[in-house]
Amino acid sequence: MGGCLSGDVRGGMEAVGGSGGRGAAGTGGAGQGGGANEAVDHFFNAAGLRGLYSPLELSFSASKLRNMDAFSKSDPMLVIYIRKDTRLEEIGRTEVILNSLEPSWITKATISYQFEIIQPLVFKIYDIDTRYHNTPVKTLNLAQQDFLGEACCNLSEIVTNNHSLTINLRDSCGHTLLGTVTVHAEESNSSRMAVEMTLHALNLENKDDPFLRISRLVETTGPIPICKTEVINNNLNPDNPLLVECFDFDSSGDHELIGAFQTTITQLENAYNSKSGANFFSHKGQKKLKGQLFVDKFQEKVQHTFLDYISSGFELNFMVAVDFTASNGDPRSPQSLHYIDPSGRPNSYQQAILGVGEVLQFYDNDRRFPAWGFGAKTPQGYISHCFNLNATTNDCEVVGVEGIMSAYTSTLYSVTLAGPTLFGPIINKAAEIASHSLQYGNNKYFVLLIITDGVLTDIQETKDSIVRASDLPLSILIVGVGNADFKQMEILDGDNGKRLESSTGRIATRDIVQFVPMRDVQGGQISVVQSLLEELPGQFLAYMRSRDIKPRAPLQHDNASSAPPPYPPTK
């Protein structure tokens, strides 16, 4: 019964909230913060599902297609593929449109959008020969049809372009042809309505620490947890947000069920309007108990999705910081973590930059990325814990992922590896940029990637920096390379349900850190990049919802005059 709770006592006693369509419930505590749903995450992680999965419906049209028929126009059909390594996997076919060079197909394709991976799509259009017009499209032999052209893109390019993208057609050799294909994407779960409720219970059985959990009943899988309330210590009339079952908390995780009842959102709304209570029943509904649940607040509100923000022009701005401390080893030695292999095989630092950068670059309009190094003696003769990777004084940006890779390689040959390992200056610099951007709008969210091999020397200063940064539109991804002891990094990551606390006693507003040791995930089913990025959409939403920032509609593309001035220079 306690499977959805955090492993530690403090985290397990905190509330977690849900969001979704009508039928989901959001707790007051989590609803205000809009954070990740621990109960739901546990359920899906247990089933092997991780990260953000949003079903999208793709629809298609084309323009100015080639005419392949002598006495009429082409009869086009579109085939949709997803590229997996070097092979194409077909995911759908449209119907055949007769005599049209400007087709708009009715048949749609469904695909699960996964934020944390690249999803390359290929669209091929064929002119279907007249003799096959009565053949089901699924059984058509494409080799027997005339090829009209193909187009390629990543799914993230569609969703970041106001959910619609027009692409030029090419032939099988990559040469541009006349004609285009337009792909439009819509989220399949169109409901954005969430319900926020405040509840209190009376006359519960005499237990010390009651809390509530609500689950959605699904015939095929059984109860799916939606949210749980916080534990109310030594209080038999808890005034707290909603759940369906009432438990007595036990720090071992073996929570005792006090009572439960089945209900619907409509029935809870009726209970709110009539001010009547719902009775708890003993296990399996055998006995009505004295305890009752009352709804003190019932409010429907729109709960925007991650894709709502991204498709309306919100950006994820990528930043990277690389550890150049001496513990990495001499870059000229093959044993060094910074060794540049002549064969072209990327080292761990290059793998992390490429992997994360290739995913996030599509969410950053200008693809200009701040890049820093730390822990090295610069050509000027002093040790710096935040220096521009491009070796310039006033501009920390490089162009594209290729620019980061080039600047990283150049830096290896221009600095001397030193130490110690300090995160504070880098995090403070990223926070300064995030804070600076707020003067010019709220549609930018910053993602700092730190790649390191070492043990932190400034652990408390780092905690203080993270706590301060938790109020800003910023997330921090940390990749641990090599075989160091990374226990400190795990403390920075709030996955244990315990938010960071600063030296002054201030608690972080939200969890903004995700740490992944590369050695623990290499060779596994989940890649380093997927593990790093799986919490990012939830952290983004937590920030936007806590500040009641809404997606922009319709999309207005920013021009250069509205952009903020260059980033503050690195000191």
Side-chain angles (χ1 to χ4, degrees):
M1 284 297 185
C4 72
L5 307 180
S6 299
D8 69 300
V9 175
R10 178 178 173 183
M13 297 175 75
E14 293 177 351
V16 290
S19 64
R22 184 173 173 84
T27 69
Q32 293 166 7
N37 189 331
E38 182 182 300
V40 176
D41 285 348
H42 175 87
F43 177 84
F44 284 110
N45 287 344
L49 301 174
R50 300 166 68 97
L52 176 71
Y53 290 80
S54 294
L56 293 181
E57 209 170 54
L58 304 182
S59 54
F60 313 94
S61 62
S63 180
K64 299 180 180 179
L65 295 180
R66 289 185 296 162
N67 189 7
M68 305 295 286
D69 295 345
F71 302 105
S72 63
K73 297 177 182 177
S74 296
D75 305 317
M77 178 190 75
L78 183 140
V79 185
I80 308 100
Y81 302 88
I82 186 166
R83 189 183 300 279
K84 295 191 174 180
D85 297 324
T86 58
R87 62 185 178 87
L88 293 181
E89 181 179 297
E90 184 178 322
I91 59 175
R93 299 183 180 189
T94 68
E95 78 279 15
V96 178
I97 302 288
L98 299 180
N99 298 315
S100 177
L101 304 182
E102 307 280 333
S104 291
W105 290 279
I106 296 174
T107 304
K108 297 174 174 57
T110 300
I111 186 171
S112 286
Y113 164 75
Q114 293 177 251
F115 163 75
E116 66 273 17
I117 65 173
I118 299 173
Q119 294 175 277
L121 300 177
V122 178
F123 312 99
K124 296 188 177 187
I125 303 177
Y126 295 87
D127 174 28
I128 306 304
D129 193 280
T130 305
R131 58 184 160 163
Y132 298 111
H133 284 181
N134 292 323
T135 304
V137 293
K138 289 183 179 180
T139 63
L140 285 172
N141 184 342
L142 299 178
Q144 297 173 335
Q145 318 304 323
D146 290 324
F147 180 63
L148 296 179
E150 66 179 47
C152 308
C153 72
N154 292 317
L155 185 57
S156 53
E157 293 180 87
I158 302 173
V159 300
T160 56
N161 196 60
N162 203 18
H163 275 219
S164 189
L165 186 66
T166 298
I167 323 164
N168 291 323
L169 290 173
R170 299 178 179 273
D171 63 19
S172 56
C173 297
H175 302 123
T176 303
L177 299 171
L178 182 67
T180 61
V181 59
T182 297
V183 188
H184 184 75
E186 288 289 343
E187 284 189 83
S188 300
N189 51 336
S190 58
S191 174
R192 300 291 189 275
M193 293 307 298
V195 176
E196 182 177 322
M197 286 178 277
T198 301
L199 314 169
H200 78 271
L202 294 175
N203 300 318
L204 293 178
E205 184 182 344
N206 189 14
K207 301 292 183 181
D208 289 335
D209 303 318
F211 70 92
L212 299 170
R213 182 178 70 188
I214 191 170
S215 302
R216 179 160 49 93
L217 294 174
V218 178
E219 185 175 348
T220 54
T221 60
I224 298 178
I226 295 172
C227 59
K228 77 172 180 70
T229 64
E230 73 273 17
V231 172
I232 305 298
N233 292 312
N234 301 308
N235 187 338
L236 303 184
N237 295 306
D239 185 7
N240 46 335
L242 169 73
L243 286 170
V244 175
E245 299 158 298
C246 186
F247 293 89
D248 182 34
F249 179 82
D250 191 298
S251 59
S252 70
D254 187 17
H255 312 299
E256 181 183 351
L257 179 63
I258 299 173
F261 65 91
Q262 292 187 22
T263 186
T264 66
I265 288 293
T266 300
Q267 290 171 337
L268 290 168
E269 185 176 16
N270 291 338
Y272 168 73
N273 292 329
S274 65
K275 306 302 179 185
S276 59
N279 284 94
F280 285 103
F281 288 82
S282 63
H283 185 54
K284 296 183 180 180
Q286 295 174 350
K287 177 185 177 183
K288 182 185 290 188
L289 304 176
K290 290 182 179 179
Q292 287 187 308
L293 189 71
F294 293 85
V295 183
D296 297 330
K297 175 184 176 182
F298 187 99
Q299 180 182 354
E300 283 192 323
K301 58 182 181 181
V302 174
Q303 193 89 302
H304 294 288
T305 68
F306 177 74
L307 285 176
D308 288 336
Y309 289 92
I310 294 302
S311 65
S312 70
F314 282 70
E315 294 184 59
L316 301 178
N317 294 138
F318 181 42
M319 305 184 284
V320 65
V322 177
D323 183 338
F324 288 98
T325 56
S327 55
N328 283 280
D330 186 343
R332 295 168 295 183
S333 167
Q335 284 72 45
S336 171
L337 294 169
H338 280 305
Y339 180 65
I340 304 298
D341 195 324
S343 70
R345 180 181 178 182
N347 63 36
S348 295
Y349 285 89
Q350 292 171 313
Q351 288 176 40
I353 293 169
L354 281 171
V356 176
E358 286 179 345
V359 172
L360 292 182
Q361 63 179 336
F362 297 109
Y363 301 88
D364 191 324
N365 285 346
D366 64 9
R367 299 191 186 182
R368 296 180 63 87
F369 309 129
W372 304 287
F374 61 94
K377 180 181 287 187
T378 67
Q380 290 74 32
Y382 62 87
I383 294 174
S384 174
H385 300 291
C386 183
F387 59 89
N388 293 341
L389 212 57
N390 60 13
T392 64
T393 304
N394 296 318
D395 185 7
C396 60
E397 290 184 318
V398 297
V399 179
V401 178
E402 302 82 3
I404 302 175
M405 297 292 285
S406 176
Y408 162 70
T409 304
S410 298
T411 300
L412 280 175
Y413 301 108
S414 65
V415 302
T416 302
L417 273 58
T421 304
L422 307 180
F423 277 8
I426 287 290
I427 295 173
N428 290 338
K429 185 63 185 177
E432 181 185 358
I433 291 174
S435 178
H436 182 68
S437 75
L438 290 175
Q439 302 173 40
Y440 303 93
N442 58 15
N443 69 317
K444 292 182 182 294
Y445 190 91
F446 295 84
V447 183
L448 170 63
L449 171 66
I450 301 176
I451 316 167
T452 185
D453 85 310
V455 177
L456 284 180
T457 305
D458 66 338
I459 183 66
Q460 189 57 59
E461 291 83 353
T462 296
K463 287 182 180 180
D464 292 347
S465 297
I466 292 172
V467 170
R468 288 193 299 269
S470 67
D471 288 329
L472 296 169
L474 175 67
S475 285
I476 301 170
L477 312 175
I478 304 174
V479 178
V481 297
N483 296 312
D485 183 351
F486 291 124
K487 287 181 181 178
Q488 287 179 327
M489 306 298 177
E490 293 169 359
I491 294 172
L492 302 180
D493 191 331
D495 283 349
N496 62 358
K498 198 173 181 179
R499 292 181 184 172
L500 282 183
E501 184 175 337
S502 74
S503 55
T504 61
R506 182 188 170 194
I507 304 297
T509 306
R510 57 195 179 91
D511 173 25
I512 65 170
V513 177
Q514 175 75 338
F515 167 69
V516 174
M518 187 172 283
R519 66 184 180 224
D520 289 357
V521 292
Q522 283 180 327
Q525 293 182 335
I526 304 297
S527 71
V528 174
V529 176
Q530 286 177 269
S531 298
L532 274 174
L533 295 178
E534 64 183 0
E535 291 185 8
L536 184 54
Q539 292 177 359
F540 172 94
L541 287 174
Y543 176 81
M544 296 299 168
R545 290 173 180 171
S546 66
R547 283 151 182 77
D548 199 28
I549 300 172
K550 304 287 195 302
R552 300 183 302 180
L555 173 63
Q556 298 292 327
H557 290 288
D558 293 333
N559 54 38
S561 63
S562 64
Y567 296 123
T570 300
K571 298 177 182 178

